[in-house]
Amino acid sequence: MAFECQEPSGSSDNSEEFVEILPKDQKVELEEQLVPENPWESNWSNSVGEIEISKSEPGDIPKKASSDLSNPRSCKSEVLLTINPTIADLPPALLSDILNYLGPKELGIVSCVSTSLQRLVSKHRAWKEFYNERWGLPATPPLPATAFPDENSWKDLFVNRELRSKTFMGKYSVDLLHGHSEAIRAVFILASAKLVFTAGYDRTVRMWDMEDGLITSSRSLGCTIRAVSADTKLLVAGGTDGFIHCWRAVEGSQHLFDLRDQNELRLWEHGGPITSLALDIARIYSGSWDMTVRVWDRSSLKCAKVLRHSDWVWALSPHDMTVASAAGSDIYVWDTSSWSLMTVIENAHNGNAYSLARSRTGDFLFTGGEDGKIHMFEVFHYVPGEYLQVATWFPHSGPVYSLAFEFPWLVSASGDGKLALIDVRRLMRSDRQRLWTRRQILKARKNLDRVEPPQRMLHGFTTDLFSVGIGADRIVSGGEEGVGKVWNFTRALELEGRARALRGIRLENRMRRRKHPVEMCGKGDQKANQCLIATNNPVNGNRRGMSVKVKG
C-alpha cells in the first residue's frame, strides 16, 4: 500500500492571537467571531472572566475591546477560544511508547501525517520487533550505523521481506534434485547457509547447494532416515536404528558441514525408530515410535529429560520455553522449564496426526493428519489448558505427511502428490491487539466449522509426498519418486520489481500531464485547449462531441 503524504498548506501572512485575562469590571469585545451553541453557555458569564482576543502583526500592541457574554446567542460574530494540540506536540519518549501499540500498517499511515512523525516512525524500534515476531533473526545482520541508523535498516529489512513473501503467488521455475535411488522421507532447508538436506529409504543423507543444485556432501548411515534438522552449528539425522547422528559445523568450511566418518557423533537411548528431530539454542529434541520425546543437552550431548506419551510420536516443534508434539491423534504442549504438560488437544484428527508446524511466536499450531485435514489452533499460554481452533482446511485427498511454515505461508505435502499453499495472515493477530478472556474463548468455540480454501495448489507428482520445506523464496519437497523438487520463486520477485518500477513511471507521467497540460501538449491556446479536453475525456469517448466542444 502506497501512502501519499502531503505537507499542510498555510499562508505566509499568518497572524498571531493574543489572549489576555482582564479584570471582571471590564468587558470583552470579540470582533467578527461566532460562539457555537454549548450546554456550558449559561455559565460562561460566571466561570469565564473577560477575555481579550485580537489579531495583529508581531510587535503591534493588541487592541482592547469589550463585549457582554451574558447572551452569547446574540453575538453571532463571536467565537469560543479553543486550544487544539496535536499528537505531534507530545514528548518524543511518550509518543514512541504510543507508537509501540501500532502494527506495521498503522505505522505506515502515521508516517504520512507529518515530516516529524515520518522521521520518528522510520526510526522506531518496533520494526525490529515486527521482523523478529514474523521471521526471527535475519540471516545477515542490519547494516552498521555508519551507513544509516540501525532502526532504519530494520524497517528496510521488514519491507523487503514482506515484499518477498508475496511472490509465492507469482511465477516460478522448477529444479530437480537427482541423487537418491529410493523415496525421500525427510527434507530440511537451511536458508541462512543456502543448503538443502535430504534423506530417505536409500539410507543416505545428502547435502545440496541451494543455488546450483549440486551435491556438496553425502553420508550413508545404514538405515532408513526419517528425520533431519540443522542450524549453522549442528546437523542431526535420525532413522530406524534409533541412533541420532550428529555433525558439528567445520570452521572455515564453505558448506558448514563435512559428512565424513571422523566428524560424526552418535546418540542412542531411544527404543524405536526416530521420526522427528528439532533444534534450539541449547537443546536437541527427538521423537520416536517408542512413545517418547527425549530432550538432549547440546553441550554435553546427554539426555536431560524424557517426555512420555500414550502413542507413537510423529512430529514435534519447540519454541522458547515450550515444545509441541503430535502422538497418535493427540497434540501435546509441554513447558520445558517445569517439564509439565500445559495443554492437550485430544482427537485433533481422525487417525494419526502426522505433521506439526508452529508460528514464530509459538502461539499458533498447525496440524496435518491421516484424514487429509489441516487444523490451525491458538494456544493460550497465560490460560493453562485453553486453546482455540481457529480454522480448518481440507485441500488434499490423501494424508498430510508434512507441514512447513514461513510467515505468512503454510505449506502442506500430501499422499495425493500435491502441495497446498495457505496464507494465514488474516487469521493471525498481533499480541498488541489480542487479549482473550475465558468467556471470549468459550464463545469463540461455538464457531469451529470454518473451512478455508487454500490460496494455491502446486502439482507435478503422481505419487506420495512425504516431506516439504519452505525458505524465503523456495519450496523443496520430496516423496516416493526419489527426486527432490525445488520450486524457485526468485523470478516472481524480479518480475514484481519490474512491474513496480513501471507503475512508478506511469504514475509520474500521469501526474506530470495533469500538472502541466500546456507544456505537454505544445504551444498555442487552441492546441492547449484541445489537449486539455482530450485528457479529461475517456479513451473511448465521442470524438464528434469532442470536436464540437473544441470548435465552440
Side-chain angles (χ1 to χ4, degrees), residues 464-498:
D464 294 350
L465 289 178
F466 296 128
S467 185
V468 65
I470 181 172
D473 51 16
R474 287 176 174 84
I475 297 175
V476 182
S477 62
E480 190 69 35
E481 294 181 351
V483 178
K485 198 166 189 177
V486 181
W487 312 78
N488 191 340
F489 291 86
T490 54
R491 182 185 176 189
L493 183 62
E494 297 174 359
L495 294 177
E496 178 65 20
R498 296 176 185 175

Side-chain angles (χ1 to χ4, degrees), residues 107-235:
L107 283 179
I109 296 174
V110 172
S111 65
C112 293
V113 175
S114 66
T115 55
S116 60
L117 286 178
Q118 196 276 337
R119 290 191 296 268
L120 181 62
V121 170
S122 299
K123 299 178 181 180
H124 199 266
R125 63 182 182 274
W127 293 110
K128 180 178 180 179
E129 299 175 4
F130 294 147
Y131 193 100
N132 292 337
E133 287 179 1
R134 294 190 178 186
W135 303 289
L137 294 175
T140 57
L143 297 178
T146 55
F148 48 84
D150 180 66
E151 290 81 4
N152 280 341
S153 66
W154 280 109
K155 179 185 177 182
D156 294 339
L157 287 175
F158 178 89
V159 173
N160 293 336
R161 190 63 178 265
E162 183 76 5
L163 175 63
R164 185 181 294 270
S165 66
K166 298 179 181 179
T167 60
F168 283 100
M169 291 297 293
K171 295 183 179 181
Y172 57 84
S173 60
V174 178
D175 301 323
L176 300 179
L177 304 179
H178 294 280
H180 289 278
S181 58
E182 296 186 52
I184 297 176
R185 291 292 316 191
V187 169
F188 187 85
I189 297 179
L190 185 58
S192 59
K194 298 182 179 181
L195 296 175
V196 177
F197 301 91
T198 58
Y201 287 151
D202 62 355
R203 306 177 181 183
T204 304
V205 178
R206 300 188 184 276
M207 183 171 61
W208 310 75
D209 188 289
M210 188 183 297
E211 298 297 331
D212 55 26
L214 299 178
I215 301 175
T216 61
S217 184
S218 62
R219 174 81 168 90
S220 178
L221 301 181
C223 65
T224 298
I225 309 300
R226 289 182 170 270
V228 176
S229 185
D231 57 19
T232 56
K233 296 182 179 180
L234 188 66
L235 166 65

